[in-house]
Amino acid sequence: MSIIAFMNQKGGVGKTTTAVTIGSILAAEHRKKVLLVDLDPQGNLSDHLSIDPNETEKSIYDVIIGGLAPEAVMQKVHGLDVLPANIDLSGAEVELAGMMMRETRLKKALDPLADKYDYILLDCPPSLGLLTISGLTFAQQVIVPMQAEYLALRGLSQLIHTIGLVREHLNPELDVSGVVFCMYDGRTNLSRDVRAEVENHFPGRVYASVIRKNIRMAEAPSHGLPVNLYDPQCAGAQDYRAVVNELLSREGMQDKNPSCRQPLWKGDEARLAAAESETPE
């Protein structure tokens, strides 16, 4: 069983699309039992799967804040189990601030579900607040979807710093399993340069598979479908299949040899900070 948080404090990088599509491919094409958890108050993951956040009376908010059983909130969509979000979640961080053990409330609520799923995928909000910290406290690994832009590169050191703090104080098993480049255009020098920079500072963690720009992926949410179900043969669906195959391959390697990957070290922060200082404005 794997618990994966999809995290990037920069919005619009393909984070939700990556979580939804990877989950759908794992369920539909690899027969995995998958739970998707929408931790973003904007409810984009829920909306992507035709669960209207404005009409959803009970959500993950009621699980975290109200202590409601996850099963009472869960919806089944396209072969996936989904814990949706609604507007109530926007006030969760304020309410969590005054609660004891606030960072572990999500983990305590969802731990009983862990043995029921092959994958639990968490779509974290584009911020480094308490909802994201809650997701990282529960997760085993982090996948960072990002665009090949220097502004995206500049935020990586802060993201890694946050993951390091969670690892040190709340979840010693947490690690960055990989960076996935989304909306990637390999024809441009900028894309290639940023990718090379991240590979240099994240050796072994950048996925070889990239997600190319593809209009069908932009269309899929308006139909309430993951792109692999909306247009199974489009470039976006094919790219995400390659990412899923790589994810499964990496996990297989770790199962056979847990030491095959270096864990997250504080040195990553220093190297990324140095990379940021070298990037142009």
Side-chain angles (χ1 to χ4, degrees), residues 252-275:
M253 290 172 61
Q254 286 179 278
D255 289 341
K256 294 176 182 177
N257 181 12
S259 65
C260 69
R261 282 174 38 79
Q262 293 295 318
L264 177 71
W265 298 110
K266 291 184 178 179
D268 288 334
E269 298 172 28
R271 290 196 298 273
L272 281 166

Side-chain angles (χ1 to χ4, degrees), residues 5-253:
F6 292 82
M7 174 188 176
N8 194 323
Q9 77 271 28
K10 188 177 185 301
V13 298
K15 174 176 58 63
T16 297
T17 299
T18 300
V20 168
T21 312
I22 286 179
S24 180
I25 291 173
L26 284 168
E29 301 178 20
H30 294 273
R31 299 296 185 265
K32 304 295 184 180
K33 191 163 179 57
V34 178
L35 172 65
L36 296 179
V37 182
D38 192 349
L39 290 176
D40 188 347
Q42 298 177 82
N44 288 335
L45 181 145
S46 305
D47 208 9
H48 194 137
L49 295 170
S50 293
I51 302 173
D52 189 343
N54 296 320
E55 296 182 0
T56 300
E57 294 184 3
K58 300 294 183 181
S59 74
I60 189 65
Y61 167 87
D62 298 281
V63 175
I64 299 172
I65 303 298
L68 197 64
E71 291 84 354
V73 172
M74 196 177 296
Q75 299 191 35
K76 295 184 180 294
V77 186
H78 308 312
L80 300 162
D81 287 350
V82 182
L83 289 175
N86 63 10
I87 192 63
D88 293 340
L89 197 58
S90 60
E93 295 204 356
V94 175
E95 296 181 63
L96 281 169
M99 294 182 175
M100 296 291 293
M101 303 297 290
R102 54 186 178 265
E103 298 90 352
T104 63
R105 289 181 69 88
L106 178 72
K107 175 178 172 59
K108 288 180 179 178
L110 300 189
D111 264 345
L113 298 178
D115 291 338
K116 300 179 181 179
Y117 293 93
D118 299 305
Y119 287 88
I120 298 178
L121 308 183
L122 313 170
D123 185 26
C124 297
S127 70
L128 300 178
L130 276 174
L131 288 172
T132 296
I133 300 301
S134 297
L136 295 179
T137 302
F138 178 50
Q140 299 166 337
Q141 53 182 301
V142 180
I143 288 179
V144 182
M146 68 176 289
Q147 288 180 263
E149 299 177 351
Y150 279 116
L151 287 178
L153 177 61
R154 284 180 176 274
L156 264 183
S157 62
Q158 185 180 8
L159 185 150
I160 294 304
H161 176 70
T162 299
I163 293 172
L165 290 175
V166 172
R167 179 185 174 95
E168 183 176 353
H169 298 288
L170 296 167
N171 184 2
E173 302 303 318
L174 185 66
D175 192 21
V176 177
S177 67
V179 176
V180 176
F181 279 97
C182 301
M183 294 171 273
Y184 187 80
D185 187 350
R187 298 170 298 179
T188 67
N189 289 334
L190 176 63
S191 293
R192 293 194 297 270
D193 290 347
V194 171
R195 180 181 171 87
E197 195 71 36
V198 176
E199 287 178 336
N200 183 42
H201 294 284
F202 264 112
R205 291 195 177 111
V206 178
Y207 274 70
S209 309
V210 299
I211 310 302
R212 294 166 286 177
K213 291 183 178 180
N214 179 235
I215 189 62
R216 305 298 274 175
M217 283 196 296
E219 295 171 353
S222 67
H223 295 269
L225 291 168
V227 70
N228 61 298
L229 300 182
Y230 175 63
D231 186 347
Q233 301 306 318
C234 73
Q238 293 176 16
D239 290 346
Y240 273 114
R241 285 192 189 97
V243 169
V244 169
N245 288 336
E246 192 170 344
L247 170 66
L248 294 170
S249 176
R250 287 175 175 223
E251 290 189 337
M253 290 172 61

